[in-house]
Amino acid sequence: MEDHMNTSRLAVTAAFTRGMPNFKTVPTRPTADYDVTIYHAMTQGLRDPLRRRIIPGAFVNTTPIHKTKLQALAAHKSQQNWLDVSQGMSSFLLAVEDNSLAVGRLSRKFKHAEGWRRHLHFGYCGPEDDPWRMPLGKDYLVNQAYERSLERGI
């Protein structure tokens, strides 16, 4: 969605400029000297704006908290109302459910999952930085086929 894409762009720019001493801010802030790993969430329908299929680089198991996630989204009435009017998504929660199950199937491990891709590391962090891996433990799965495809240019 366009608002998500613009928000992502702003967040990536903020992360990149965090250490630039000549980047002016209001109010003035000191530069930041720390690594930032950026993860991009999967899109609705698992496709990019040009309809190409998006494959996750990593999966996070959301099965244990899936019902809570749906309850939280159900409470977000303004989002539901806006999607109903702008996109005819009267089944907003069903679309979330379908997406969660589809990503879970792609993982071949989890029933419900979210998919994520790490941003290119240059200017942000080390090439192997993946700070979600350790704290999420068994609820985190790197998609090795995706990782290999990055080297093949597929």
Side-chain angles (χ1 to χ4, degrees):
M1 309 232 172
E2 194 65 23
D3 57 331
H4 295 197
M5 291 167 51
N6 287 318
T7 301
S8 172
R9 185 69 254 150
L10 288 170
V12 169
T13 297
F16 188 74
T17 60
R18 74 194 182 286
M20 290 181 174
N22 60 342
F23 190 86
K24 301 295 180 201
T25 62
V26 177
T28 302
R29 295 283 186 251
T31 60
D33 184 23
Y34 52 81
D35 287 345
V36 175
T37 303
I38 299 171
Y39 294 86
H40 293 277
M42 295 300 293
T43 59
Q44 182 65 30
L46 309 179
R47 298 202 177 261
D48 75 6
L50 299 177
R51 301 176 291 129
R52 292 176 294 218
R53 186 88 165 147
I54 303 276
I55 302 299
F59 302 93
V60 174
N61 180 18
T62 58
T63 306
I65 55 93
H66 184 70
K67 287 181 183 173
T68 303
K69 177 181 174 178
L70 288 179
Q71 289 170 344
L73 290 170
H76 195 350
K77 296 297 183 194
S78 64
Q79 180 80 355
Q80 283 187 354
N81 293 339
W82 180 79
L83 287 170
D84 287 349
V85 170
S86 68
Q87 298 170 40
M89 288 184 71
S90 59
S91 58
F92 168 63
L93 294 177
L94 183 57
V96 169
E97 176 83 9
D98 290 346
N99 210 56
S100 176
L101 288 167
V103 176
R105 282 190 300 275
L106 287 172
S107 78
R108 297 183 180 162
K109 181 176 181 182
F110 309 127
K111 180 176 180 180
H112 291 279
E114 290 182 353
W116 300 87
R117 294 177 297 155
R118 282 186 296 135
H119 195 84
L120 183 64
H121 68 282
F122 295 127
Y124 302 96
C125 62
E128 301 302 319
D129 287 4
D130 192 357
W132 287 2
R133 188 183 302 223
M134 194 178 317
L136 289 172
K138 65 179 179 48
D139 288 321
Y140 186 77
L141 175 66
V142 172
N143 183 346
Q144 296 299 332
Y146 175 85
E147 292 294 319
R148 286 189 301 274
S149 76
L150 295 174
E151 296 307 314
R152 291 192 310 264
I154 297 173

